[in-house]
């Protein structure tokens, strides 16, 4: 229910409504099971229904591209700063430069695909929709968590990246114009805590592209939610310093 309230406050009303119904069905299933000692067909129906609606709610959560459309100046149903709500989410879209960088990042951020080669070695393929020769720079952060070999579900501790080798250089693939379109990193993990009891569990490959001196992708989408100070209105495309 708390997630539903948060989604509603962020104007993601379709996902909020489904999430709220899922929460109510889950609560009803729990109460039914407590009162009647066993779930029974009705209890199981409520429980499975809540699971299904939770999945639907996740699918309905606005993507970054949808947020760019919904909270921008070209939205059919204006929100936030475009209605004079100075403390609303995504008031940073009142700055045309940020609005442009946001959609550039949505469309052109590098994307990584990780393939395990051995228990401690991984191949990370980074695809690049855009790259400026002699201007853009690519970097990669690779993180992992440890997992007990006998436990199929539990991944231990925080993300780690202190024992990563081989993530400074990559094998490059260029297009006909000489621009980089793919970078292949061979990642080795040299962690002394690995043993017959532990192995590498979850991994995360996070590429960053410095496209030029003004744009680094992916953009910090979460930072954009926070309202800017003193945006002007009714001309919100000019921001007061």
């Amino acid at each position: 229910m708390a997630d539903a309230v948060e989604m509603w406050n962020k104007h993601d009303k379709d996902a909020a409504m489904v999430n709220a119904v899922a929460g109510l069905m889950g609560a009803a299933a729990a109460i039914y099971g407590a009162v009647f000692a066993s779930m029974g067909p009705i209890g199981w129906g409520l429980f499975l229904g809540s699971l299904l609606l939770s999945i639907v709610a996740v699918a309905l959560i606005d993507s970054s591209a949808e947020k760019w459309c919904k909270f921008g100046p070209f939205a059919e149903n204006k929100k936030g700063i475009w209605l004079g709500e100075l403390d609303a989410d995504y008031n940073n879209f009142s700055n045309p430069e940020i609005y442009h960088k946001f959609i550039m990042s949505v469309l052109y951020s590098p994307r990584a695909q990780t393939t395990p080669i051995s228990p401690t070695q991984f191949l990370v393929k980074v695809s690049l929709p855009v790259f400026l020769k002699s201007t853009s720079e690519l970097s990669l952060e690779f993180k992992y968590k440890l997992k007990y070999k006998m436990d199929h579900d539990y991944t231990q501790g925080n993300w780690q990246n202190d024992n990563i080798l081989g993530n400074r250089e990559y094998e490059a693939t260029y297009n006909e114009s000489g621009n980089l379109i793919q970078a292949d990193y061979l990642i080795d993990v040299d962690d002394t805590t690995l043993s017959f009891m532990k192995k590498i569990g979850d991994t995360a490959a996070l590429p960053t592209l410095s496209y030029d001196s003004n744009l680094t992708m992916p953009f910090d989408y979460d930072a954009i939610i926070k309202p800017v100070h003193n945006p002007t209105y009714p001309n919100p495309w000019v921001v007061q310093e």
Side-chain angles (χ1 to χ4, degrees):
M1 293 301 293
D3 291 338
V5 173
E6 182 178 359
M7 292 175 187
W8 185 273
N9 290 335
K10 291 183 177 180
H11 300 275
D12 199 352
K13 293 183 172 57
D14 47 1
M17 289 296 294
V18 174
N19 214 319
V21 174
L24 291 173
M25 290 186 69
I31 294 172
Y32 185 89
V35 172
F36 295 100
S38 64
M39 293 288 282
I42 296 178
W44 279 109
L46 291 170
F47 176 70
L48 294 176
S50 68
L51 287 180
L52 178 60
L53 287 175
S54 295
I55 295 172
V56 173
V58 171
L60 289 174
I61 293 175
D62 289 342
S63 66
S64 296
E66 288 172 325
K67 291 172 183 175
W68 183 83
C69 294
K70 282 187 175 182
F71 291 90
F74 310 114
E76 181 178 355
N77 298 313
K78 298 293 190 296
K79 296 179 175 64
I81 184 65
W82 316 105
L83 295 178
E85 301 173 10
L86 302 184
D87 295 323
D89 289 341
Y90 294 100
N91 276 2
N92 274 327
F93 282 170
S94 64
N95 186 320
E97 182 179 359
I98 291 178
Y99 190 64
H100 174 256
K101 287 181 177 180
F102 189 96
I103 194 59
M104 283 286 291
S105 182
V106 170
L107 296 176
Y108 301 120
S109 286
R111 293 168 176 81
Q113 180 180 3
T114 303
T115 303
I117 298 176
S118 73
T120 59
Q121 192 175 67
F122 302 85
L123 176 63
V124 179
K125 292 181 176 290
V126 179
S127 59
L128 298 150
V130 293
F131 192 89
L132 292 177
K133 185 169 53 178
S134 303
T135 301
S136 300
E137 295 183 0
L138 177 66
S139 61
L140 177 71
E141 180 184 7
F142 186 86
K143 304 187 294 183
Y144 65 95
K145 289 184 178 181
L146 296 180
K147 182 176 184 179
Y148 287 106
K149 292 182 177 180
M150 299 300 293
D151 193 334
H152 298 288
D153 299 320
Y154 177 69
T155 301
Q156 180 189 23
N158 299 318
W159 290 105
Q160 304 181 51
N161 57 8
D162 295 333
N163 306 295
I164 304 300
L165 304 175
N167 63 339
R168 299 297 181 184
E169 300 177 356
Y170 55 81
E171 181 179 342
T173 301
Y174 299 94
N175 62 12
E176 296 178 353
S177 302
N179 288 322
L180 183 66
I181 58 174
Q182 180 173 303
D184 295 346
Y185 292 84
L186 187 60
I187 305 296
D188 290 298
V189 179
D190 183 20
D191 194 327
T192 57
T193 62
L194 291 173
S195 65
F196 68 94
M197 293 184 61
K198 294 181 180 180
K199 64 178 181 179
I200 296 174
D202 296 337
T203 62
L206 308 172
T208 300
L209 175 64
S210 296
Y211 180 70
D212 56 25
S213 59
N214 296 315
L215 177 60
T216 297
M217 300 180 286
F219 213 45
D220 188 350
Y221 300 117
D222 292 337
I224 300 303
I225 299 176
K226 184 179 180 180
V228 295
H229 295 294
N230 302 320
T232 59
Y233 187 85
N235 183 18
W237 283 69
V238 178
V239 179
Q240 297 176 348
E241 299 292 340

